């Protein structure tokens, strides 16, 4: 069994370092998602080709969207899926408009401007924000926003996973709430924003350990 870690935007695979202590004894793959094409489907196809066998997928925000796209392609390989700060539906018109603003910001102010804008949205406690985890290629960031914006609705995929799927959301997540995910198995993490694995690593690691033991 392989544990596949799919990172959030605008970070990269280094965001999973706080989880490494939970994963000894597992084959762990933590790919970088940027540069794999202009759609979640293309990303999923690329990641599929780099992994073998059954997968437990842990996806954060954007990584959750890629995880669901992968589950659409190879549902038989999904042993379990834990998604944090993510949601299965497609972007609403309001969220699509927000993506356009994000793309404009990246083009005007680069990764540093994007980081300044996003820290309050990603973290309830800004002291937990580590700028060293930021991915710094503007073109890759823009492509990622476009892939997020144009992703398919994967609600049907999420439902088909049944008990293999669990969501985790921060109490103060700016993008998705436990109420939004009420039809699924969802855990709310207290005193956390969007990236619970970074802001409340001990709590998230307990949840991850429990999930791995169960699947």
């Amino acid at each position: 069994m392989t544990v596949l870690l799919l990172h959030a935007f605008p970070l990269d695979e280094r965001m999973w370092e706080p989880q490494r202590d939970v994963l000894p004894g597992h084959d762990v793959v933590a790919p970088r998602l940027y540069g794999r094409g202009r759609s979640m489907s293309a990303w999923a196809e690329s990641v599929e080709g780099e992994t073998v066998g059954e997968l437990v997928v842990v996806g954060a925000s954007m990584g959750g969207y890629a995880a669901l796209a992968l589950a659409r392609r190879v549902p038989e390989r999904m042993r379990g899926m834990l998604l944090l700060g993510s949601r299965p539906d497609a972007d609403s018109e309001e969220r699509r408009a927000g993506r356009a603003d994000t793309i404009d910001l990246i083009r005007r102010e680069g990764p540093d401007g994007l980081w300044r804008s996003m820290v309050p949205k990603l973290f309830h406690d800004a002291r937990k924000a580590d700028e060293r985890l930021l991915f710094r290629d503007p073109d890759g960031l823009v492509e990622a926003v476009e892939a997020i914006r144009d992703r398919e609705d994967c609600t049907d995929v999420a439902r088909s996973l049944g008990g293999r799927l669990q969501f985790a959301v921060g109490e103060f997540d700016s993008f998705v709430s436990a109420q939004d995910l009420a039809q699924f198995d969802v855990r709310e993490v207290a005193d956390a924003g969007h990236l619970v694995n970074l802001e409340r690593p001990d709590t998230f690691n307990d949840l991850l350990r429990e999930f791995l033991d169960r699947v």
Side-chain angles (χ1 to χ4, degrees), residues 95-204:
R95 293 200 297 269
R96 287 179 64 86
R99 307 296 183 197
D101 293 340
T102 300
I103 290 171
D104 288 342
L105 176 63
I106 296 167
R107 287 175 173 158
R108 284 186 288 105
E109 300 184 26
D112 290 324
L114 175 68
W115 181 250
R116 288 191 297 270
S117 171
M118 291 200 70
V119 163
K121 303 173 184 176
L122 297 177
F123 299 93
H124 178 56
D125 181 353
R127 293 173 299 178
K128 300 291 186 178
D130 185 351
E131 190 173 354
R132 293 172 298 179
L133 303 180
L134 174 66
F135 182 69
R136 290 191 165 273
D137 177 64
D139 292 337
L141 291 168
V142 168
E143 274 196 5
V145 177
E146 292 172 341
I148 294 168
R149 178 196 64 197
D150 298 336
R151 71 188 187 280
E152 292 183 73
D153 188 312
C154 285
T155 303
D156 60 330
V157 177
R159 287 174 179 155
S160 72
L161 291 169
R164 292 177 288 168
L165 172 63
Q166 185 175 62
F167 287 91
V169 296
E171 179 184 4
F172 299 103
D173 196 315
S174 300
F175 300 105
V176 61
S177 69
Q179 185 176 356
D180 294 332
L181 300 167
Q183 64 177 296
F184 301 102
D185 179 5
V186 56
R187 306 286 183 91
E188 185 176 81
V189 178
D191 296 322
H194 191 54
L195 299 178
V196 298
N197 75 301
L198 292 173
E199 195 160 6
R200 293 289 179 268
D202 291 343
T203 301
F204 180 76

Side-chain angles (χ1 to χ4, degrees), residues 2-7 12-32 197-198 201 204-205 208-209 212:
T2 297
V3 178
L4 175 64
L5 305 174
L6 301 178
H7 63 80
D12 62 23
E13 69 281 0
R14 294 171 296 168
M15 71 170 284
W16 297 114
E17 285 306 312
Q19 280 63 63
R20 292 293 184 176
D21 289 345
V22 184
L23 298 171
H26 297 284
D27 292 326
V28 179
V29 178
R32 181 167 294 182
N197 75 301
L198 292 173
F204 180 76
N205 286 354
L208 175 57
R209 189 179 293 110
L212 291 172

